[in-house]
Amino acid sequence: MKRIALGAHFPSMGQHVAAWMHPDAQIDGGHNFRWFTRMAQAAERARFDFVFMADTVGTRDGDMRALSRWPQYMAHFEPISLLSATAAVTEHVGLVCTASTSYYEPYNVARLFGTLDHISEGRAGWNVVTTANAAASHNFSRDDHYDVADRYKRAREFVEVVKGLWDSWEDDAFLRDRATGSYFDPAKLHRLDHDGRFFKVRGPLNLARPPQGHPVIAQAGASEDGMELAAETAEVVFQSKSRMQDAQAFYAEVKGRMGKYGRAPGELKMCAGLNVTVAPTEAEAREKFAYIQSLIHPDVGRELVSVELGGADLSDLPLDGPIPWERIPTESVMSPSRLAAMRALVARENLSLRQLYERYAGSRGSAQIIGTPTQVADMMQEWVEREACDGFIIQGSYFPGGFDDFCQMVVPELQRRGLMRTEYETRTLRDHLGLPRPRNRFAA
Ligand SMILES: Cc1cc2nc3c(=O)[nH]c(=O)nc-3n(C[C@H](O)[C@H](O)[C@H](O)COP(=O)(O)O)c2cc1C
C-alpha cells in the first residue's frame, strides 16, 4: 500500500462552527502564537507532510449578531507571517497557507513565499485561491468582488508570473567569490519581462531561487474554472466532497484534464478535507460529536447555510421546515462550487434548515467520520485505494483536543498499515510528497 499525503488544517479554534464554545478549546486560538506552535509541533511529532492555514483578506459581512457567536476569520493572524515564525520552531513539517490572487500582486507573493521557502529550508507551499469572501474587495480599493471568470483568468496569469519570478536566478547564480570579486554571475540572472492582460512585471526577483525551485502550489477551487486551474498548475488540491462517489468523479475529472498541459496524474496530490471525531468506541465518538453539535446556536446555523448559499437571506424561514427550492440562489459570486454542492444536497435529501446546518457544522461540506481508530483508518484507506483521493487534510472539530485525538489514536494505526511514515526521511515538502523539483525555465 502506498503512503498517503497528509496535511493538518488549523482553522483558529477548530473546524466546527461551535468550536470555541467547547470548554476544552483554545479560546484565543486565532491570536495565540504559542498555541499555534504547539499545534504545528504536534503535527510534526505525528509526521504529517504539512500544516495548512486558510485565509481570507477581511472579516466577513453578514448578520453580526450571528457572527459574534461564530468568530472564524474575525480574529485571524496573517498566515505567511505566522508560518514564517513557525518555521523557526519546527524542522520537518511543511508549511502551507493561502494567498489570494485577487488581492495581492504577484511580485509580493513570489517574494513572500520564496522567503518562507528559504527560512524553512524548503518547506513552503502556497494555496492559490481567488477568494470566496466578497467582502474582501472593500479592503482593496474596490466596490465589489471580481466576477468568477475574471478571478480565474487573473489567477492563471498570476501563477505564471510568480513561477517566472521564482526562476529569476538560476540555482547556481550566486558565486559569492571573494577571490574573483564576483558575488553573482550576471548570465544566470533573468528578467521576466511579463506583459499580459492583468499584470506587467519586469522582474527579476531580489531573492535567490527558492530551495524547492518553486514552493509547492496548492489549489482549493472546485468550480469548472477551478478544476482547470488545478489541472494546469496545482501540485496539491484540497477538495471538499462528502461522498466517496463524488470524490472519485472529481479525482478522475481533475487528473483527466492534466494531460493537455503535459502533466502526469502523479504530479498532483488530491487531498480530501476530512473532519474526524475519534474515540476508543464508536459510542464514545458519537457522544463527543453530539456534544459539540449541541453547542451550535441557531443563529449561527442559519448564517452558515446563508454563507454556503452565497449570502442568501434566510432570516424568515422556520428552522424545522424544508427550505423552499425557489429561495435557493442559482448563482454565487463567492463560490459556485460550494453553492452547487449545497443545491445538490438539498435536492437529494430535502433537509430542514436545522438538519442542513447540522450536516455542515463540522465539516463544511467535506467528508466526515465519527468512529473508532480502526473505522477512521479503514475509511481513509478505502478512499485512497478506490481513487477518491491521494491523501487527506485533517480538520479537527476543536483544538487542541480534536487534533490530539487524531494524532494519538489514528496516526499509529495508519503507521502500522504503512500508510504514514514513522520518521521523516526527506527534507523538503516536495520530497515529503514525492513531487518533482521544477527546472528553471531560463536555464539552458
Ligand atoms: C481544505 C480547503 C481549504 C480552503 N481554503 C480556502 C482559503 O483559505 N481561502 C479561500 O478563499 N477559499 C478556500 N477554499 C476554497 C473555497 O471553499 C472555494 O472553493 C474557493 O474559494 C473557490 O471557489 P470555487 O470552488 O467555486 O471556484 C478552501 C477549500 C478547501 C476544501
Side-chain angles (χ1 to χ4, degrees):
M1 183 68 206
K2 68 172 182 179
R3 223 182 248 170
I4 62 175
L6 208 61
H9 184 184
F10 291 142
S12 307
M13 284 73 84
Q15 175 76 354
H16 195 282
V17 286
W20 73 280
M21 292 293 285
H22 194 292
D24 298 336
Q26 179 69 41
I27 202 158
D28 62 350
H31 279 161
N32 185 327
F33 178 60
R34 278 185 199 284
W35 165 83
F36 191 77
T37 299
R38 179 204 179 288
M39 298 304 291
Q41 289 173 339
E44 184 160 90
R45 267 195 310 278
R47 311 294 184 241
F48 273 68
D49 292 307
F50 61 92
V51 298
F52 168 63
M53 281 298 286
D55 194 41
T56 182
V57 272
T59 57
R60 289 180 301 161
D61 286 348
D63 175 355
M64 278 303 148
R65 227 173 25 132
L67 291 175
S68 73
R69 297 178 180 278
W70 179 25
Q72 196 184 355
Y73 292 126
M74 304 305 267
H76 185 79
F77 276 150
E78 189 289 302
I80 310 172
S81 310
L82 177 64
L83 292 187
S84 298
T86 306
V89 292
T90 53
E91 265 182 71
H92 302 283
V93 75
L95 305 167
V96 182
C97 70
T98 294
S100 170
T101 53
S102 299
Y103 300 113
Y104 281 81
E105 283 287 321
Y107 195 91
N108 299 125
V109 164
R111 195 165 179 230
L112 287 162
F113 282 90
T115 299
L116 179 60
D117 207 44
H118 279 285
I119 292 176
S120 64
E121 299 176 301
R123 294 186 282 138
W126 168 35
N127 180 34
V128 177
V129 304
T130 65
T131 294
N133 179 11
S137 60
H138 305 305
N139 300 327
F140 297 90
S141 314
R142 289 181 62 88
D143 294 325
D144 50 19
H145 203 7
Y146 296 92
D147 74 36
V148 174
D150 262 359
R151 256 158 44 205
Y152 274 104
K153 285 190 194 109
R154 183 182 154 106
R156 209 186 226 117
E157 191 179 325
F158 195 117
V159 174
E160 256 325 287
V161 175
V162 169
K163 287 183 178 172
L165 288 169
W166 282 331
D167 286 343
S168 296
W169 301 85
E170 293 183 34
D171 289 313
D172 56 354
F174 285 94
L175 306 168
R176 300 185 184 105
D177 187 343
R178 286 195 183 99
T180 58
S182 180
Y183 200 83
F184 64 83
D185 178 354
K188 294 188 173 177
L189 168 62
H190 304 282
R191 262 168 60 162
L192 183 62
D193 287 324
H194 174 85
D195 191 357
R197 175 172 161 201
F198 296 92
F199 304 106
K200 191 168 176 192
V201 182
R202 194 196 70 176
L205 195 65
N206 53 351
L207 181 75
R209 194 160 191 257
Q212 296 186 97
H214 301 167
V216 172
I217 303 284
Q219 221 275 112
S223 54
E224 175 59 34
D225 292 333
M227 287 193 282
E228 207 57 42
L229 181 67
E232 185 178 353
T233 64
E235 300 174 289
V236 171
V237 166
F238 301 141
Q239 55 90 319
S240 47
K241 303 289 175 198
S242 61
R243 303 188 307 167
M244 189 167 68
Q245 65 262 45
D246 297 335
Q248 286 169 316
F250 185 70
Y251 184 93
E253 183 67 47
V254 173
K255 297 224 178 195
R257 294 177 189 219
M258 293 173 73
K260 68 173 181 260
Y261 299 108
R263 304 182 66 206
E267 290 172 46
L268 185 156
K269 303 292 172 192
M270 180 74 72
C271 292
L274 180 61
N275 183 263
V276 178
T277 307
V278 62
T281 67
E282 189 179 331
E284 284 170 88
R286 296 211 169 275
E287 205 175 302
K288 268 191 199 176
F289 188 69
Y291 174 66
I292 198 161
Q293 289 283 88
S294 75
L295 302 175
I296 309 168
H297 192 282
D299 290 352
V300 172
R302 205 184 281 278
E303 184 67 15
L304 169 63
V305 176
S306 165
V307 169
E308 294 294 329
L309 293 177
D313 180 8
L314 309 172
S315 53
D316 59 321
L317 292 183
L319 289 179
D320 292 309
I323 305 178
W325 187 243
E326 64 277 8
R327 295 290 299 275
I328 300 185
T330 50
E331 280 181 19
S332 162
V333 72
M334 309 241 258
S335 170
S337 71
R338 299 192 75 87
L339 173 62
M342 193 160 257
R343 281 177 67 84
L345 178 62
V346 171
R348 203 167 58 232
E349 299 195 30
N350 191 32
L351 302 174
S352 69
L353 183 50
R354 190 192 304 274
Q355 287 167 325
L356 200 51
Y357 75 63
E358 284 180 349
R359 185 74 73 85
Y360 260 65
S363 68
R364 312 298 165 77
S366 293
Q368 174 166 312
I369 179 152
I370 303 162
T372 64
T374 308
Q375 286 171 321
V376 176
D378 284 349
M379 178 260 177
M380 293 174 74
Q381 183 166 346
E382 187 186 9
W383 274 48
V384 174
E385 280 174 353
R386 297 182 59 185
E387 299 199 333
C389 60
D390 301 305
F392 296 88
I393 172 129
I394 301 300
Q395 304 171 324
S397 282
Y398 71 96
F399 297 133
F403 183 65
D404 288 347
D405 287 348
F406 183 87
C407 293
Q408 282 157 18
M409 289 186 251
V410 184
V411 167
E413 181 59 26
L414 295 172
Q415 289 172 330
R416 199 184 58 72
R417 299 180 188 201
L419 296 170
M420 265 186 91
R421 66 172 69 75
T422 52
E423 289 301 333
Y424 289 103
E425 292 132 8
T426 43
R427 177 78 224 145
T428 67
L429 175 56
R430 266 181 196 286
D431 290 340
H432 294 345
L433 294 169
L435 295 168
R437 186 177 191 274
R439 293 164 54 119
N440 188 315
R441 71 179 63 188
F442 299 112

